[in-house]
Every structure is written in structure tokens, then in C-alpha cells.
Amino acid sequence: MADAPLTIAVVGAGAWGSALASVCCRTDHRVLLWGRDAKLVAAINARHENPGYLPGIPLDEAIVATDRLAGLAAARLCLLVVPAQALRAVAEELDDVLGADVPVVLCAKGIEARTHKLMTEVAAEALPGRPLAVLSGPTFAAEVARGLPTAVALASHDRDLAARLVVTLGSRSFRPYLSDDPLGAEIAGAVKNVLAIACGIVAGRQLGDNARAALITRGLVEMSRLVLARGGKAETLMGLAGLGDLTLTCTATQSRNYSFGVALGRGDGVAAALATSRGVVEGRFSAAATLEMAAGLRVEMPICAAVDAVVNRGADLEQTIAGLLGRPFKAEGFSA
């Protein structure tokens, strides 16, 4: 896969898709960047910048943007970077475009709200037969686009595929690490967005750094329960797709989910907080889907349940926080 330059399709011209397009160009591949917005596509081609999502950050001039999925037919590798709730529809359209053996790397983090399925499960249905991998980890798009050092997990059940992808995408500034646990990487990537909302609420409510640290730690326990119950690996939780991504997303205002939580904590309603977000707040969808998955496995996730109650069920924020603080004392551990 990496012996000669490839034509790589990056599907999704938001911040993360544009950043990944630049990553691919740094390893001398030909990149086709698809976006639905024709005006944005034209701007990327004319200005070599994504003014809607990454203003002021130059994109590689070799990137060719298009609003036609049919234009991606020559691709020998596809990075699917559309939001989780749009992935199925776009993938179904891609099924008639991509070659039957073209590997697909899933770069969106979330759980499909309607079916409660992970992105690999959705892709397996919409793009049957294609080799699949998951790219996850602590990544802010603007930093990746600027070429700042970044490490990610590249997970697949096909170790040879993952190894080839590492060589294809890896560079001095973008360092993929192999994983054979795509399920764990996916669940961690979805749940961390829910926990980021909770940490944002803590910040917006000015509950202190101690509370945020406790929330991250106990949130990791909740994430671990669900990953292990679904058959994922404990090592994933301690790696880039687990602790690494959780720490980044729960501590920085660059995170849409964290910023959404901050607005809620300051007293904004859900609609008002969503209106100020630049992009999809995926944690809102993942909260309900995570709890449905957890319920089927009899996994307790009180922090995620509290977030879901506030953002999806109209629960009073102050009462919900009081409910969490009033829970019985327990021992520390994954089974606590």
C-alpha cells in the first residue's frame, strides 16, 4: 500500500477531514477531499484553506476538493470522516463508487443514535466486504493541520492492513500506533465525548479542578466497564484511544463537547449551547446510545446517565449534580 503514491479519498471536508487530507499529502499521496458544500469546496481549491472550519491554516496545495462522490472512484484508500450520524447515508452512496477491495479507515467518533451501532458495524452494512480500520486518539484538527506532533491509534482486526496503513499515513509529525482492538477504540472514542460534556459542565459551574480530575478518573472507570463488557481490551483504555483521547477532550476548549458543557454549566439552555457550537456535538447523541448499550449489558454508568438526563431529557442541572454527589460511597475499581 505504501510502496508507491496512492490516490486517497478523504470523505468529509470539515476540520478533521481537511487536517487528515494534509496528513496524506505529507507522505506524497494524491488526495481527493469530498465535501457536500459546493461553495466550501470551491474555496478550498481556490485558497488552499478551509475558511469554514480551519480559517487561517494553509492546506497542502496538492489537495483536490470535490462535491461529487463519483469523483472518488480512482481512490485506493478511503478515510471516512463525516459525522457519526451521517456516516451510514454517505457510506451507502460510496458503495457504488469505491472498488470492492478498497480499505476504509473510520475516523468519526460516535454511536449511531437510531441503531446504537458502532461505526465499524454501520460501515460493514453500508460498505460490505471492504477491509476496515479505526483511527482514533487525542487529536485536535487545527494542530494536526499545522503539522504539530500528534500520535494516534490505528486499530484493525487485520494486523497486516493496520501495519500498511501506519506506513501509508505515518510521518514525523503524525505517528500512528498499531492496535488490534477496534471495538475498544470505538467505544472509548464515543464515550469520551459524553464525559467531555460532563467536564465542561464542571468548568462552567466553577466546581474546581479537583472535581474535573475526579470526573475524568471515574469516567474512565465507566468507559472501562463498557469496553470490557463488550469484549474490548484493557490495554486500549490505557492507550491513545482511551486515556489519551479522554484527557485531551476533557481539558481543552478546542473540544466542541467540552465547550458545549461549559455553556450548559454557565446557565445556557441546551438549544442555546448548541447554537454556539462550530460543528456537531457528538456526545449528545452518544449519551443516549451509550446508555442503551450499557443497559443491555447491565453496566452502570452514572456520569453518562447524568449527562443524558440533562442534554436529552430536560433534567435540572443542579438537581442532577446533587444526585451524583449524593451517591453511596464505593470502593475504587472497574467493578465498583
Side-chain angles (χ1 to χ4, degrees):
M1 181 178 292
D3 291 341
L6 298 176
T7 297
I8 300 178
V10 179
V11 181
W16 189 214
S18 298
L20 286 173
S22 285
V23 166
C24 295
C25 284
R26 289 177 197 139
T27 47
D28 297 326
H29 299 293
R30 177 173 180 253
V31 179
L32 303 173
L33 175 63
W34 176 84
R36 197 178 296 276
D37 185 338
K39 291 183 179 179
L40 180 62
V41 164
I44 292 172
N45 285 330
R47 298 164 53 176
H48 308 297
E49 174 189 333
N50 187 326
Y53 294 94
L54 292 174
I57 300 177
L59 298 179
D60 197 295
E61 294 186 8
I63 295 169
V64 176
T66 178
D67 61 351
R68 296 176 58 253
L69 281 174
L72 308 180
R76 299 307 304 153
L77 172 64
C78 176
L79 274 56
L80 199 45
V81 203
V82 294
Q85 306 312 315
L87 189 139
R88 182 182 294 274
V90 173
E92 287 175 345
E93 291 186 65
L94 275 174
D95 187 36
D96 294 328
V97 175
L98 294 179
D101 60 345
V102 172
V104 175
V105 182
L106 302 165
C107 306
K109 299 169 183 175
I111 301 172
E112 190 174 52
R114 180 174 58 85
T115 65
H116 308 142
K117 291 183 177 180
L118 301 172
M119 297 296 96
T120 48
E121 295 170 321
V122 174
E125 293 175 358
L127 292 164
R130 272 73 170 197
L132 298 177
V134 172
L135 190 152
S136 191
T139 51
F140 283 145
E143 295 186 11
V144 173
R146 290 190 179 101
L148 298 179
T150 300
V152 297
L154 231 170
S156 177
H157 293 302
D158 184 339
R159 186 174 180 85
D160 288 341
L161 170 63
R164 294 198 306 273
L165 289 170
V166 166
V167 175
T168 299
L169 301 175
S171 65
R172 287 176 58 86
S173 62
F174 192 79
R175 299 184 57 79
Y177 285 75
L178 279 175
S179 168
D180 61 357
D181 184 21
L183 183 145
E186 284 197 275
I187 293 176
V191 175
K192 64 92 184 179
N193 284 332
V194 184
L195 299 172
I197 294 174
C199 284
I201 290 172
V202 164
R205 212 71 173 177
Q206 298 185 351
L207 297 178
D209 291 335
N210 292 347
R212 179 168 56 181
L215 198 59
I216 292 172
T217 307
R218 295 307 301 171
L220 180 61
V221 172
E222 293 191 16
M223 180 190 292
S224 303
R225 290 173 184 157
L226 187 57
V227 167
L228 297 178
R230 278 292 304 265
K233 297 184 176 183
E235 304 94 289
T236 302
L237 298 161
M238 294 300 105
L240 291 162
L243 182 60
D245 203 5
L246 177 66
T247 302
L248 181 72
T249 312
C250 289
T251 58
T253 55
Q254 288 186 65
S255 163
R256 291 190 298 267
N257 294 281
Y258 180 82
S259 296
F260 171 68
V262 170
L264 293 177
R266 288 174 177 166
D268 291 354
V270 172
L274 287 171
T276 61
S277 176
R278 292 179 58 84
V280 178
V281 180
E282 197 61 59
R284 185 187 179 199
F285 299 103
S286 293
T290 294
L291 290 180
E292 290 285 347
M293 185 186 298
L297 297 165
R298 298 184 178 180
V299 170
E300 186 181 23
M301 304 185 75
I303 298 172
C304 291
V307 172
D308 179 57
V310 170
V311 303
N312 293 320
R313 305 177 191 278
D316 179 78
L317 180 57
E318 201 64 42
Q319 291 179 5
T320 303
I321 293 172
L324 278 177
L325 293 175
R327 285 173 55 80
F329 298 112
K330 293 186 177 182
E332 186 174 47
F334 290 170
S335 60

